[in-house]
Amino acid sequence: MDGERVYAYYPGCSLHATAKEYDLSARAVCSALGVELREVPDWNCCGASSAHARDHLLGVALAARNLALVEEMGMREVAVPCAACYNRLAVAGRELQDDGSLAAEVREMLGRPLEGSAKARALLDVVVRDVGAERIRDAVKRPLEGLKVACYYGCLLVRPPRALGTEERVEDPQSLDELVRALGGEPVEWPHKTECCGAGLSLARTDVVRTLSANILKMARDCGAGCVVCACPLCMTNLDMRQAESLKAAGEDFSMPVLYFTELMGLAMGLPGAGRWLKMHFVDASAVTCREGAAARQEEPC
Amino acid sequence: MARVGVFVCWCGSNIARTVDVQRVAEAARRIPGVVFSTDYKYMCSEPGQTMVRDAIREHRLDRVVVASCSPRLHEPTFQRCIAEAGLNPYLVEMANIREHCSWVHQDREAATEKAIDLVRMAVAKARRDFPLFRNEIPITKRALVIGGGVAGIQAALDIADAGYPVTLVERTPSIGGRMAQYDKTFPTLDCAACILTPKMVDCASHPNITILTYAEVEEVSGFVGNFTVRIRRRARGVDMEKCTGCGVCYSKCPVKVPNEFEEGMGERRAIYVPFPQAVPNVPVIDRQHCRLNNGLKCGVCQKLCPTGAIAYDQEDEVITGQFGAIVVATGFKMWDHSQIGEYGYGGIPDVISGLQFERLMNASGPTEGKIVRPSDHRPPKTVVFVACVGSRSENHGHEYCSKVCCMYTAKHALLLKEKYPDTQAYVFYMDIRANGKGYEEFVRRTIEEYGAHYIRGRVSRIYRHGDRVVVKGADTLLGRPVEIDADLVVLATAMEPQDDAKELARRLGISTDQHNWFSEAHPKLKPVEVLSSGIYLAGACQYPKDIPDTVAQASGAASKVAGLFSKPHLLSEPMIASVREEDCVACGQCVRVCPFSAIELVDVNGKNGASRRAARVNEGLCHGCGTCVAGCRGSCIDLRGFTNAQVLSEIDALALA
């Protein structure tokens, strides 16, 4: 192993609540890959959801405080599993860099130094780019042979490209696909990688959310996927928790397991506890471990 | 002592609104050397010019300052004006109180003060003006036309018809250009080939036209009337004298490669003519793909050629020619839509470009005119046309309108409905720009008679779903999202300059705009000329144009060339650099900095009859830019009409006022 990688870790509110399994699986997978995550002490809201929509300055300042805490830890990069948190921290970081007077105002509000040296990284990006497909492949014990996966990036991982400075093809990102291939699975070609799941209207207009989420799930099925893998707790909520009502409203009768990419990694890497994470989902995801990959994994009990 | 007259122009209200012109005229009267000053509403008008001429006679003026607009606009006017009154035309100075003053300021008081300063500077310079004279330069009466599309063809024919020899250089194996690829032309639906091929044949048979295909311009030097151009004619691999165009060679060639002329939708051989009506009808060997050239066994074409015309070992030929004028007609290219992620990064086979659709419709195209989907060769039932793909889009680097897409999209929809009335045609558009003769009527016909569905709005996403292509967009008139299950999607992609436009511009010494379109000398009044004289533009190398505009501009360029050639000789520009040889130490700095290679070191007679080196300016090549003047360490180069003494006196007039 070529030296341990250390990152600050910003779980965000979801990973301490609705997306507990994302947090558990992220920590387990990183630890297995020799990536040390140090949780940012006393972190606060990233500014997503209401804050940045109501008050731009507040949105930036909330994100900036977290970045300042990362600086205080003496760290340069903070790994962020939630796509919405990542987006807020990365976009705010860029805004602070580009706008000196905004940075000064925020520093004043925070009452702490803020150099701008800390950079937000999506956990997915850390895993795929920094750890790399090769080391992941080496860590796989139970390749996901025969598992067709719809890689769902959602809207926030790669947009807006200029602010995030992403290397991905914005309308057809590849990092999750690359990861699934490294795990031995087969990413399906599908057009809805970055379609909106409706998270912005999650509470206000559930009818819109249902339609949008159903569209994504139907497209995944039509393109032959056995499961959807995502990297965002909000996507997960809409695609997993609301799945039954969404599909019912759309007149459909099927179910589609939805997993965090870290869970899929945990399964492929044979990490203990992977079964427990999946139990926290609404749609039965154990089907992924039993049905699709069973033959390849020598009939191991799940 | 010079006797200077100052003439202050109102330019209607252009100057007078912001500058108190009467005060400027009064102030001018108090400047040393000024013996007369006045103001007038339009100094460039005939009464204005008469006023100048009368004042010269009445007040025995020997220098004139006109305070009006930019010298680029009216300096020649006033040079002619004072020449008629018997003064050397280079004794007039323009004080630019419009572009440099009234148009860019609001504060009347400050603008008036500035105008007075500008006049004071011009007077100071005028007092040091001295008469300049022009020399005669001979003209080589042969034109070079670069690019063999419809623009180049038209320009060549018009120049040749005026009685002057023309060399037409084309990069591809045949003349014809983009227009040869089109099916029918809007709005008359004339078949493009039917109206173009007679012109191509005329070019080939015209005694005044020499066609060089598969050839490129490598180097250009010289100046108006006397350009020296090096042209590389790439090895064709076929002897043009011996070839009869029978076609046996390419019917038997075993190598198949995607056909550029069919926009990649058909195949051609490694030895090929791009299309049946090619001029010249002589194949070329594509050395990149020829088996023999890649070390494999072959030689089929050579064995079969009945006239022994195949010449594998033919080499590039470098031709150096003298030309008096150059017409640049290098055209455009279509933007590659694989850069649009929302439309599938070019990876959806049934999403094609307008030019590909053009080939699909063409009876001599890859499908013999049958419109079928590239993926499964089934005729489409629903076709979606998307206008403004990459055009009018800052995101994609083209803020401009590509101008022809609205019309050819309407044409595509109309022809589709005409051939297959049961097919649904949808057109997504931003605005319909149908501003040509018969254009608006054509679009209305497409919509009303042929029933194409026009939807005002942008397409946000195109993706494959099963064997169909889903087009998602907005209908901004209904304020609703739209989703269409299509079989085929045709993108009207943006027009772009050729990839090497910038490089050609560098070779020609002409300028380009921010998109690399060639820049005209004046957007309104010199649309055919460029800033370097003797070089003219024709067609879409300047900006997107349709065929009528292209042909009109080509004829315009040709008439400029004919006008130039009809003169017995040219007159040189007198405002050029001159070296005081006795002071020159031949350091060579001016030679190095001259952007026009107009200075060389020559042997001159030194003291006591000994020979020594000194810089000398070639008067034909010098553009009078002044770079050498700034570079000269010994201050022994001066620009006539802009001497160091004159420029310093202007600065003094401003600083010491």
Side-chain angles (χ1 to χ4, degrees), chain B residues 560-621:
Chain B
K560 291 282 172 193
V561 172
L564 174 70
F565 287 0
S566 70
K567 291 178 188 152
H569 48 71
L570 291 169
L571 291 172
S572 70
E573 198 44 62
M575 289 190 179
I576 54 170
S578 71
V579 181
R580 279 192 310 282
E581 283 178 2
E582 62 275 22
D583 293 339
C584 175
V585 297
C587 68
Q589 182 65 11
C590 52
V591 179
R592 282 188 289 277
V593 298
C594 176
F596 303 99
S597 309
I599 310 183
E600 54 187 345
L601 294 179
V602 296
D603 289 323
V604 297
N605 289 328
K607 278 178 195 160
N608 314 325
S611 173
R612 64 179 194 88
R613 308 278 282 167
R616 183 169 291 169
V617 177
N618 179 327
E619 301 198 351
L621 290 174

Side-chain angles (χ1 to χ4, degrees), chain B residues 148-309:
Chain B
V150 66
I153 288 171
Q154 186 65 46
L157 283 172
D158 287 354
I159 297 167
D161 282 345
Y164 302 106
V166 183
T167 300
L168 177 59
V169 175
E170 165 59 35
R171 170 156 58 183
T172 70
S174 168
I175 60 169
R178 290 282 174 216
M179 188 174 166
Q181 291 181 285
Y182 303 158
D183 180 37
K184 295 196 167 113
T185 54
F186 58 79
T188 49
L189 299 181
D190 287 305
C191 147
C194 312
I195 55 176
L196 179 67
T197 45
K199 280 187 184 290
M200 291 164 63
V201 174
D202 285 351
C203 259
S205 59
H206 203 295
N208 277 341
I209 299 180
T210 308
I211 299 177
L212 297 177
T213 52
Y214 220 40
E216 283 187 78
V217 169
E218 278 194 338
E219 197 184 287
V220 180
S221 59
F223 51 95
V224 55
N226 299 277
F227 293 105
T228 303
V229 181
R230 197 172 78 215
I231 299 161
R232 178 174 292 269
R233 200 179 188 185
R234 286 157 65 200
R236 217 177 174 95
V238 178
D239 187 328
M240 294 192 71
E241 300 297 317
K242 290 185 187 161
C243 175
T244 60
C246 70
V248 171
C249 53
Y250 52 83
S251 64
K252 298 293 182 196
C253 173
V255 182
K256 288 180 180 172
V257 289
N259 189 336
E260 301 87 353
F261 187 79
E262 303 294 0
E263 293 294 309
M265 292 193 302
E267 285 176 330
R268 64 163 172 83
R269 307 303 172 103
I271 182 167
Y272 69 105
V273 289
F275 54 102
Q277 306 93 328
V279 171
N281 186 23
V282 176
V284 290
I285 295 175
D286 165 6
R287 294 200 169 180
Q288 196 195 336
H289 294 102
C290 173
R291 282 172 63 85
L292 212 59
N293 205 52
N294 287 298
L296 299 168
K297 275 187 123 172
C298 193
V300 173
C301 53
Q302 194 172 44
K303 274 182 219 115
L304 292 174
C305 177
T307 59

